[in-house]
Amino acid sequence: MTEHGREPRALLGIAEVSGPSMYPTLRQGDQLLVHYHAPVRVGDIAVLKHPLQQDLLIVKRLVERRDGGWWVLGDNPGAEGDSRVFGAVPGELVLGRVRARYRPRPEDQRSVAGALAWAFAALRPVLSDRSVSRRLRAR
């Protein structure tokens, strides 16, 4: 995730996904519309400071509230780098909620059908998954 650890001053911002931890919901290169300082709830996808390397921003799903903060997981069960590794994330490190994602058009996309499919799917709201706590807790 880029936007390297700066404290956001604006209400809205753009961040770019790097890495596979949120696949299939988010992919490498997706652009995210982030609503900074927005209230967050279980199931939301959020941008937060990495608890062990606070100059690094990460994007994860908020699974549940715990005494130590938020338990966060990636949507890709095979990828590491979430609360299974670093524990709960303190609430003050949660910077904002992801509201939408824009998927850039692949450079090799040349067919009309492919371009139409991309246009239909390129911009999507990022919705909360309220069932996530039960489903992901066992990981």
Side-chain angles (χ1 to χ4, degrees):
M1 160 134 268
T2 56
E3 248 200 39
H4 304 287
R6 291 178 289 130
E7 191 64 34
R9 296 174 195 221
L11 183 61
L12 297 173
I14 303 293
E16 183 175 308
V17 174
S18 63
S21 73
M22 288 301 293
Y23 184 82
T25 307
L26 303 173
R27 297 181 189 165
Q28 173 84 21
D30 282 356
Q31 303 290 311
L32 305 177
L33 177 63
V34 182
H35 183 180
Y36 290 109
H37 311 292
V40 293
R41 301 181 300 190
V42 168
D44 286 347
I45 295 178
V47 170
L48 36 119
K49 289 183 179 183
H50 192 289
L52 304 177
Q53 187 180 349
Q54 292 184 17
D55 62 335
L56 176 66
L57 297 183
I58 57 176
V59 60
K60 302 291 177 204
R61 190 172 300 274
L62 304 175
V63 176
E64 67 182 9
R65 203 73 161 104
R66 294 191 175 183
D67 287 338
W70 283 100
W71 192 259
V72 300
L73 295 174
D75 285 358
N76 180 351
E80 294 187 4
D82 54 28
S83 287
R84 295 172 293 171
V85 174
F86 49 70
V89 177
E92 63 270 12
L93 298 183
V94 177
L95 300 178
R97 181 176 170 195
V98 174
R99 297 292 187 170
R101 69 112 176 109
Y102 168 75
R103 185 157 294 148
R105 185 174 176 186
E107 292 182 23
D108 61 347
Q109 184 63 261
R110 290 197 165 79
S111 73
V112 173
L116 289 173
W118 166 82
F120 179 72
L123 183 61
R124 293 287 171 131
V126 174
L127 304 175
S128 297
D129 183 349
R130 299 290 178 234
S131 67
V132 74
S133 182
R134 278 191 315 276
R135 191 166 38 94
L136 297 177
R137 192 173 302 147
R139 282 204 216 165

